[in-house]
Structure formats: C-alpha cells, structure tokens
C-alpha cells in the first residue's frame, strides 16, 4: 500500500541584467532557484516474506527462510532538495563567477538493520534514517588570452559539502 510515489520538480531563474542599462563591467547576471523531490522503492523481494529454495540435498528438496526479514510496511525512500545560485559575467565575458548553495534531505532510507538471531533472522528491512547533505560551490572562470580564433579559458572550482545523519532507527 505504500509503494507509490511521485516526482516533483520546479525551477526558475531571473536574469536581472535585462533590467539594468548595459555597461562595460557587468555583462550578465542571473539568480536561479530549484526544488525537487525524488523517490526510491524498496529492493526486490523486500516487502513480503517468501521461502528460498537452496540446492537440493540429494533427491530431497530443501526450502528455508532468508536471513533478512522483509517488511510490508516500508515507505518509499524520498529525497527532497533545493538549490539557490547566482551567475555573473564581467568584462565582455573575460571573467565569470558562479556561486551555488544546495541542501538535500533523504528520509525513510531503506536499510537492513541487525536484529537478534533469536527471531530466526539476522536483519530486517526498515525505514532506518534521515541524512542531510548541504554545501556551497564556487566557480571562477577567466579568459587571460583571447586573440583571433584562439581563446584560453581557466576555471577554478571550490566545493564544501557537509553530510550528517540526523535520524537513525
């Protein structure tokens, strides 16, 4: 009953340099904003318990239970993320700056967690946790040489990502 999920995404941008007079320094400027949600279903055969059939012992067929207890109450794993950024181009395209902040949160992660073997299983599938990923990305681009059909571009990228488990089973 929990096996349906939808994907949502919205993205918008605003080129603010369309509203200001042209100048020799700032040639292009844009703000952008994105939001998305994606889902992921449980692994194959993780919802209903089923017998497994290992190799027969001689002519005697064998059946048993798997080592992981399945769970028909699993919710789909979901990731919700947003991103805010700005692009700037200067000096007739000779220099550019791009900054971006991003944040994503994955909830209801489907993980087999260890359980007491007295249950007959060694693990059980559960919605086990929430993980948050956030960070910054900066890119500087420059064109030190531009002559005729020859152009030399240089880009430097810096990224800072922080991951944190915020909830655990």
């Amino acid at each position: 009953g929990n096996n349906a999920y939808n994907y949502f995404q919205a993205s918008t941008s605003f080129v603010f340099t369309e509203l200001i007079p042209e100048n020799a320094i700032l040639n292009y400027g844009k703000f952008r904003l994105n939001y998305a949600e994606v889902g992921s279903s449980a692994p194959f055969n993780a919802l209903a318990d089923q017998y497994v059939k290992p190799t027969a012992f001689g002519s005697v067929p064998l059946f048993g239970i798997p080592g992981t207890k399945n769970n028909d109450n699993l919710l789909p794993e979901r990731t919700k993320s947003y991103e805010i950024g700005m692009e700037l181009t200067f000096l007739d395209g000779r220099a550019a700056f791009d900054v971006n902040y991003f944040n994503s949160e994955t909830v209801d992660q489907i993980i087999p967690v260890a359980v007491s073997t007295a249950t007959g299983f060694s693990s059980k599938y559960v919605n086990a946790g929430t993980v948050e990923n956030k960070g910054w990305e900066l890119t500087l681009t420059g064109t030190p040489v531009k002559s005729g059909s020859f152009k030399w571009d240089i880009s430097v990228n810096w990224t800072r990502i922080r991951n944190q488990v915020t909830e655990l089973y």
Side-chain angles (χ1 to χ4, degrees):
N2 297 323
N3 62 352
Y5 51 89
N6 295 309
Y7 290 82
F8 299 99
Q9 190 269 338
S11 180
T12 188
S13 63
F14 174 64
V15 180
F16 62 86
T17 50
E18 294 288 325
L19 301 177
I20 61 175
E22 287 189 29
N23 62 71
I25 296 175
L26 178 62
N27 307 117
Y28 179 78
K30 175 172 80 170
F31 289 113
R32 62 182 183 272
L33 177 64
N34 304 304
Y35 179 81
E37 286 190 24
V38 296
S40 179
S41 52
F44 177 73
N45 268 353
L47 299 178
D49 289 327
Q50 299 176 12
Y51 287 108
V52 294
K53 184 181 180 296
T55 306
F57 183 73
S59 62
V60 179
L62 299 175
F63 290 91
I65 57 173
T68 302
K69 172 77 170 136
N70 293 325
N71 183 350
D72 62 348
N73 292 318
L74 287 176
L75 299 171
E77 186 175 296
R78 301 191 56 81
T79 300
K80 303 170 185 181
S81 62
Y82 68 89
E83 178 181 309
I84 300 168
M86 181 173 59
E87 298 172 34
L88 301 172
T89 303
F90 303 95
L91 306 171
D92 196 28
R94 300 284 298 247
F97 175 74
D98 191 334
V99 62
N100 187 46
Y101 175 78
F102 56 91
N103 185 311
S104 69
E105 183 179 54
T106 303
V107 298
D108 293 326
Q109 287 189 310
I110 300 170
I111 300 173
V113 296
V115 295
S116 170
T117 54
T119 63
F121 300 96
S122 59
S123 60
K124 176 183 178 178
Y125 281 112
V126 296
N127 292 110
T130 301
V131 175
E132 182 180 52
N133 304 303
K134 58 185 173 182
W136 289 90
E137 182 173 15
L138 303 170
T139 303
L140 297 173
T141 303
T143 306
V145 179
K146 189 175 185 181
S147 174
S149 63
F150 180 77
K151 183 177 167 185
W152 178 29
D153 291 330
I154 298 174
S155 292
V156 176
N157 181 273
W158 175 83
T159 303
R160 178 180 184 230
I161 301 173
R162 297 290 184 245
N163 302 315
Q164 182 177 12
V165 176
T166 57
E167 184 180 318
L168 202 53
Y169 180 77

